[in-house]
Amino acid sequence: MKILKTYPDRCIGCLVCEAVCSETYFQKPDAAKSAIRILEDDTGAADYRILVCQQLGDCIAVCPAMAIRRLKSGVVTINKKKCVGCYACVGFCPIQAMFTHPDEIVPFKCIACGKCAEQCPTEALEIVEVE
Amino acid sequence: MNRAELKVLAEFDYELGQVEKGYTGRTLYVNVSDNTIESRPVTPEMKEIFVGGKGFGLWRLWHGVTSDTKWNDPENEIVISSGPLGGTTTYPGSGKSLVVSISPTTHSVMDSNVGGHFGPLLKFAGWDAIELQGKAQNDVIVYVDGMQGKVFIYEAPEGTADTHELAERMVELFADSEAEKVGISSVTAGSGAEHALIGCLNFSLYDERRQGIRVKQAGRGGIGTVFRDKKIKALVVKYLGVKGNSNHPADKSRIDRVGIKMHKEIHDNDPVQCRMRHRGTSYLVQIMSDYDLLPTHNFKYGGHPEARRINGDVWEARFRQGLPDGCWYGCTLSCSHTVEGYTVRTGPYKGRVVRVDGPEYETIAGVGSNCGIFDPETILEINFYCDTYGLDTISFGTLTAFVMECYEAGILDQEKTGGLDLRFGNGDAAIELLHQIARGEGFGRIAGQGIRRMKQIFVEEYGADPQFLQDIGMEAKGLEYSEYVSKESLAQQGGYGLANKGPQHDEAWLIFMDMVNNQLPTFADKAEALHYFPMWRTWFGLCGLCKLPWNDIIPEDNALTEEPAKVPEHVQNYVEYFVGVTGRQDVKRGEDLVRMSEAVYNFQRVFNLRLGFGTRQHDAIPYRSMGPVTAEEYESRAERYDQQLRELVGFDPTGKSTAEKLAALREYRQAQYERLMDAVYERRGWTANGVPTLETLRRLRIDFPEVVAVVQQHL
Ligand code: SF4
Ligand code: SF4
């Protein structure tokens, strides 16, 4: 299946990915609306930590509205029409990669489109196929 | 049959409108006697003082009935209301409906808190509450179409009233497509509610994954019996399009913040705390048995070695795992599990393969251990039939345990039971009794009246000793006890005895605080707890909430807080949540929430007074709930009781007979209960006779002339 693979040691914290992601899906660059987040790494392993959905799919079973499913490509997506906005998927994501924003009643997540990877100046992001 | 073929008895059009800050601003009135349907405004005063849910229900009921109204008079009402927070999807436990009516077993006000989708969908369909009054000639269906803005009263089609068939049928009848099924919820009772006084209501939800309905029960106090007495076969609502902001909250981000925090807390802590997501409330069985609190053999004992055969591990293995088993969207505590593919082995549905909703703790303890039944299959059979017949599993369990003790004590025999060998542990006899209750036949016709009436019949017709029956009949105010042994916790005796509707634990559950952790050593402490907790728990019922996400999941550091029993962090969540929905400026702390409940709680107390109850004498409880009634009970825990006689009573048990020791313990415990009542009444601002004072009414702003008039008769 398709996922966005991250290489945090290459990340320079330029935040281009956040801008591209929010621009693509919410028509304006706004880090709070990005499905990928660059955070400071407090473990000391690298300067930054890249938080983005790895298509684990734990959210599928917790959704009470059957609004989340895995596409053939392996990507996990939310059907906005079916979503009842409970945010169970947000609280139950084991890596906290499902996001919300006050303007939106449906949560959002990375769908591995790869737009950010194309723009990343250090190739810290890459779309790959995994088992 | 399809919907077009139904005969329309009445039709009513309304503007769909909009929910604002948790309220639609109107309630729906339906009279099935004369087929009147009307919209009634919700006043600012109602919102401020009665909040919603049970508060709205009581307020409407108060105006619908008189002091003489009996449960089966046409003017009795059934009012169903969720509450301002009801229908929120973001915070766990937010889809409850509150039902009120005058009860056939207590003859006073009854309330019941139930899951399922009805209450929230009703609100989104445009109504804060529905008020059902009158009595139809023939069976009717009341249908609220929240997509078209129409209400119909239909003549009900032929066919069974039993829920597992009828509720599925309502989905087929009112959903115009597969996709519409999730938008349908019904309220139904069953054939048993037509013949017994312990009828319950089933609230449905359509489960897309299971492709069928699940049902939750408004069990207590016979409201299902009232429903069928009104000849209402089903109440149905349709609404599609539930969203995260359907309540149009004042400030959604405040709700989101605490809601997501709760989901995460449940995700992290539930696996190591109660495991509700895997086993629901069945986790309680083993704990209760270990602490001598699991009712066994009609509350004689508090546990049994066989309890492990019906404990949480057993049910975890039976429940279908891995589904979001909330009773409303977004309840990640998800305790509403089912056993799938159960093959019915007796009665009219013998051989059918069905879904059993539950069993929950109360059912397992009531129809299981309390009746000496430790067989999961029997518990499932009874669970299924109680639900589909529309009978309350708690009342059925407690009354069957009573009957079994009467049988073993020789008050009943096979001649009187029509051949039923109702010994403790005889599951087949219990199942047969259930079928007879549902049909209103044989001994079941008597048993289905509930314990209070049985006591009278056994005394009058079988010459039983009234004192003994009074001692062992586990009812108060006419309602059967729910399933906890309160003997060693005086505070819980009060929690049961002083509860407005009768002995149900939803007002107060203080056993661990009182008995296990000894946090309530003085009468003042107990009175404070019996003030705070009933008020606090009442608040859930005003808002359309479930109590379980308050304290069946707790923050990791809860034990380090000043008052862990209150779960302070969660109380603060609820403040945020309430203000986030309603935007009310006068709410800042937990105490502000408690004050709302206090008004409604006292109003309900006065409502009891108005109907001829609600004074000190009505808060009396059977001695079985206070201490050992029989010699075998005493001797089973002789060491404990002997020690108490010595240390607390100042009575030396050496060389005394069991009868003497029983008498001494009894005198002491009964006096303690009287002192407890004194202390609690005082704390609540009531007279020594249990009547709210005028000052209390004024302070709570419920000093309406008609309320004051009722109270004045008792001052
Ligand atoms: S927020 Fe939407 S997608 Fe997420 S679990 Fe709830 S209904 Fe499903
Ligand atoms: S905790 Fe259980 S009963 Fe309460 S709302 Fe959630 S699923 Fe329903």
Side-chain angles (χ1 to χ4, degrees):
Chain A
M1 69 187 187
K2 201 162 78 149
I3 66 161
L4 183 72
K5 191 166 174 188
T6 66
Y7 303 89
D9 51 328
R10 296 184 196 162
C11 177
I12 54 167
C14 70
L15 308 184
V16 163
C17 54
E18 292 186 355
V20 171
C21 181
S22 49
E23 176 80 50
T24 307
Y25 295 101
F26 296 99
Q27 289 72 51
K28 70 170 189 180
D30 177 356
K33 289 187 173 181
S34 168
I36 180 166
R37 304 285 165 102
I38 306 303
L39 310 166
E40 268 181 48
D41 187 356
D42 40 26
T43 68
D47 288 344
Y48 298 99
R49 187 159 78 81
I50 304 175
L51 175 56
V52 69
C53 173
Q54 296 298 294
Q55 317 301 334
L56 301 171
D58 286 19
C59 51
I60 298 171
V62 301
C63 175
M66 289 181 84
I68 312 182
R69 67 189 180 109
R70 193 184 287 283
L71 305 177
K72 278 207 194 77
S73 62
V75 170
V76 175
T77 60
I78 299 175
N79 176 341
K80 284 195 182 192
K81 268 177 81 178
K82 288 199 86 176
C83 172
V84 297
C86 70
Y87 299 163
C89 53
V90 180
F92 273 64
C93 174
I95 60 168
Q96 302 295 295
M98 184 76 85
F99 300 103
T100 64
H101 187 279
D103 294 349
E104 303 295 319
I105 55 170
V106 176
F108 48 90
K109 64 180 289 296
C110 166
I111 53 166
C113 73
K115 289 262 193 318
C116 54
E118 284 166 19
Q119 306 277 328
C120 176
T122 63
E123 297 183 337
L125 305 169
E126 183 189 13
I127 294 290
V128 296
E129 281 290 330
V130 294
E131 277 305 298
Chain B
M1 164 166 292
N2 64 38
R3 204 154 79 232
E5 293 168 44
L6 291 177
K7 183 170 169 203
V8 178
L9 302 175
E11 189 175 340
F12 172 82
D13 292 302
Y14 67 93
E15 296 281 329
L16 283 172
Q18 168 96 301
V19 184
E20 269 312 323
K21 298 179 187 166
Y23 295 97
T24 67
R26 60 190 179 183
T27 65
L28 178 62
Y29 172 81
V30 176
N31 188 312
V32 293
S33 285
D34 60 12
N35 295 329
T36 318
I37 305 175
E38 60 187 48
S39 167
R40 295 181 166 176
V42 168
T43 62
E45 191 178 54
M46 275 172 75
K47 292 201 242 178
E48 233 175 275
I49 298 174
F50 294 94
V51 186
K54 178 163 105 172
F56 279 12
L58 290 171
W59 183 241
R60 287 289 189 244
L61 184 66
W62 175 283
H63 293 286
V65 302
T66 71
S67 58
D68 298 322
T69 303
K70 299 286 170 276
W71 72 271
N72 53 359
D73 287 339
E75 77 246 28
N76 188 17
E77 296 191 338
I78 297 172
V79 191
I80 304 172
S81 173
S82 181
L85 277 48
T88 302
T89 56
T90 321
Y91 199 94
S94 302
K96 294 290 188 174
S97 302
L98 281 294
V99 193
V100 303
S101 189
I102 294 178
S103 155
T105 68
T106 70
H107 301 293
S108 195
V109 194
M110 185 54 54
D111 61 273
S112 214
N113 178 325
V114 59
H117 288 185
F118 187 85
L121 295 187
L122 180 75
K123 176 156 71 171
F124 300 146
W127 306 102
D128 285 333
I130 185 167
E131 194 183 349
L132 301 163
Q133 198 175 36
K135 222 188 244 204
Q137 293 258 305
N138 299 303
D139 276 351
V140 296
I141 293 175
V142 176
Y143 174 53
V144 181
D145 186 334
M147 306 311 287
Q148 308 286 334
K150 281 180 179 294
V151 182
F152 295 92
I153 304 176
Y154 293 115
E155 204 173 272
E158 295 288 313
T160 180
D162 290 347
T163 285
H164 80 288
E165 292 200 346
L166 182 59
E168 290 283 2
R169 205 165 157 211
M170 291 303 104
V171 172
E172 298 300 329
L173 200 54
F174 291 101
D176 293 326
S177 66
E178 193 59 32
E180 278 198 5
K181 288 183 174 178
V182 293
I184 305 288
S185 175
S186 65
V187 180
T188 55
S191 59
E194 294 161 15
H195 301 119
L197 299 184
I198 57 165
C200 75
L201 293 175
N202 289 290
F203 281 55
S204 80
L205 64 95
Y206 185 78
D207 185 321
E208 253 188 297
R209 284 186 173 82
R210 289 176 171 90
Q211 300 204 329
I213 55 135
R214 286 192 277 136
V215 284
K216 305 300 298 175
Q217 291 72 36
R220 306 310 330 264
I223 305 180
T225 303
V226 180
F227 192 80
R228 291 305 289 134
D229 183 66
K230 292 187 173 307
K231 297 242 180 215
I232 302 173
K233 198 161 175 182
L235 173 60
V236 185
V237 65
K238 182 197 283 190
Y239 178 80
L240 289 138
V242 175
K243 290 283 161 205
N245 61 354
S246 289
N247 257 330
H248 284 258
D251 182 353
K252 186 169 181 295
S253 59
R254 285 176 87 159
I255 310 164
D256 293 350
R257 200 177 54 75
V258 289
I260 292 169
K261 185 178 73 168
M262 278 304 292
H263 292 317
K264 182 149 173 35
E265 188 176 313
I266 291 169
H267 171 268
D268 294 348
N269 300 354
D270 184 60
V272 293
Q273 289 178 7
C274 302
R275 295 178 63 73
M276 295 278 273
R277 290 174 55 79
H278 295 272
R279 50 178 73 183
T281 52
S282 75
Y283 82 90
L284 286 162
V285 174
Q286 195 62 53
I287 299 174
M288 293 304 136
S289 187
D290 293 346
Y291 281 96
D292 208 21
L293 299 167
L294 180 73
T296 305
H297 291 189
N298 195 30
F299 296 88
K300 275 192 220 171
Y301 314 117
H304 201 284
E306 297 278 281
R308 63 182 165 70
R309 291 179 53 205
I310 54 169
N311 73 12
D313 293 339
V314 173
W315 297 109
E316 184 164 341
R318 296 296 293 266
F319 290 147
R320 186 159 162 198
Q321 297 289 324
L323 298 183
D325 282 345
C327 66
W328 170 246
Y329 298 114
C331 188
T332 38
L333 207 50
S334 288
C335 78
S336 301
H337 302 298
T338 63
V339 171
E340 302 288 332
Y342 175 74
T343 306
V344 182
R345 55 172 219 252
T346 67
Y349 303 110
K350 183 175 175 176
R352 299 266 187 101
V353 178
V354 297
R355 167 176 307 122
V356 184
D357 290 88
E360 298 181 21
Y361 166 75
E362 294 292 328
T363 304
I364 303 165
V367 309
S369 58
N370 211 9
C371 295
I373 293 169
F374 297 95
D375 168 35
E377 304 305 316
T378 302
I379 293 170
L380 282 171
E381 184 85 2
I382 294 175
N383 190 148
F384 166 74
Y385 268 115
C386 275
D387 289 354
T388 199
Y389 283 152
L391 297 172
D392 173 23
T393 56
I394 300 179
S395 280
F396 174 77
T398 300
L399 76 80
T400 301
F402 167 74
V403 164
M404 287 176 160
E405 185 168 355
C406 289
Y407 186 85
E408 293 203 343
I411 295 164
L412 297 173
D413 52 32
Q414 292 209 19
E415 196 183 315
K416 297 191 179 83
T417 65
L420 294 178
D421 178 25
L422 285 159
R423 283 172 292 110
F424 283 116
N426 189 345
D428 291 342
I431 293 168
E432 181 49 31
L433 177 63
L434 174 55
H435 293 310
Q436 289 188 11
I437 288 175
R439 294 196 304 268
E441 286 173 15
F443 182 67
R445 196 177 45 77
I446 295 171
Q449 313 280 303
I451 292 177
R452 185 162 278 200
R453 270 157 216 79
M454 273 196 279
K455 289 194 294 194
Q456 205 183 337
I457 294 168
F458 295 176
V459 171
E460 286 170 4
E461 296 183 15
Y462 308 150
D465 171 8
Q467 183 63 52
F468 180 67
L469 293 189
Q470 178 52 34
D471 285 348
I472 68 159
M474 287 294 281
E475 60 87 10
K477 299 187 169 82
L479 183 71
E480 284 75 22
Y481 266 69
S482 73
E483 309 300 335
Y484 299 97
V485 171
S486 54
K487 284 187 189 126
E488 300 310 315
S489 165
L490 179 58
Q492 186 57 30
Q493 291 163 29
Y496 272 137
L498 306 179
N500 264 326
K501 66 164 163 267
Q504 170 76 354
H505 56 280
D506 61 348
E507 274 199 11
W509 200 91
L510 300 169
I511 301 181
F512 277 164
M513 269 185 98
D514 189 32
M515 173 189 121
V516 182
N517 301 329
N518 200 22
Q519 287 164 326
L520 307 172
T522 67
F523 278 99
D525 295 330
K526 293 186 208 296
E528 184 55 37
L530 280 168
H531 174 71
Y532 179 84
F533 288 100
M535 299 310 151
W536 170 244
R537 287 168 171 251
T538 294
W539 185 76
F540 295 105
L542 307 185
C543 293
L545 300 180
C546 173
K547 164 260 151 193
L548 299 178
W550 160 54
N551 72 347
D552 280 68
I553 180 80
I554 52 174
E556 225 170 331
D557 59 359
N558 189 57
L560 305 175
T561 60
E562 235 164 74
E563 294 183 282
K566 292 185 178 175
V567 200
E569 186 179 320
H570 287 180
V571 172
Q572 204 47 43
N573 285 355
Y574 286 112
V575 171
E576 281 295 295
Y577 178 13
F578 184 83
V579 176
V581 175
T582 63
R584 261 172 79 159
Q585 298 297 319
D586 59 332
V587 175
K588 304 216 155 47
R589 290 182 304 269
E591 298 87 86
D592 299 327
L593 307 180
V594 167
R595 203 167 32 248
M596 293 176 205
S597 309
E598 228 188 312
V600 176
Y601 192 92
N602 278 271
F603 182 74
Q604 190 167 354
R605 182 79 177 180
V606 178
F607 207 155
N608 281 338
L609 280 172
R610 183 187 183 211
L611 295 174
F613 308 90
T615 55
R616 188 176 184 115
Q617 71 179 108
H618 300 287
D619 291 338
I621 53 175
Y623 187 63
R624 177 60 60 75
S625 66
M626 285 188 219
V629 172
T630 62
E632 60 170 343
E633 249 172 298
Y634 189 100
E635 280 151 16
S636 75
R637 273 107 178 122
E639 204 178 316
R640 174 195 297 162
Y641 297 136
D642 282 354
Q643 188 190 354
Q644 288 182 6
L645 284 175
R646 220 174 282 120
E647 292 173 5
L648 301 172
V649 188
F651 176 97
D652 183 4
T654 332
K656 299 290 195 311
S657 70
T658 304
E660 287 167 312
K661 293 194 283 187
L662 273 171
L665 191 64
R666 181 175 187 132
E667 194 186 321
Y668 170 75
R669 291 198 172 189
Q670 285 179 330
Q672 292 282 99
Y673 186 71
E674 293 296 325
R675 283 183 66 190
L676 180 77
M677 282 201 280
D678 289 336
V680 175
Y681 289 171
E682 198 188 324
R683 175 63 188 88
R684 289 183 181 173
W686 296 356
T687 68
N689 194 27
V691 178
T693 63
L694 294 178
E695 166 51 29
T696 301
L697 302 184
R698 269 194 294 272
R699 180 172 63 82
L700 300 170
R701 297 174 55 212
I702 51 168
D703 53 337
F704 307 105
E706 66 267 37
V707 174
V708 171
V710 170
V711 165
Q712 257 161 351
Q713 295 167 16
H714 296 273
L715 294 176

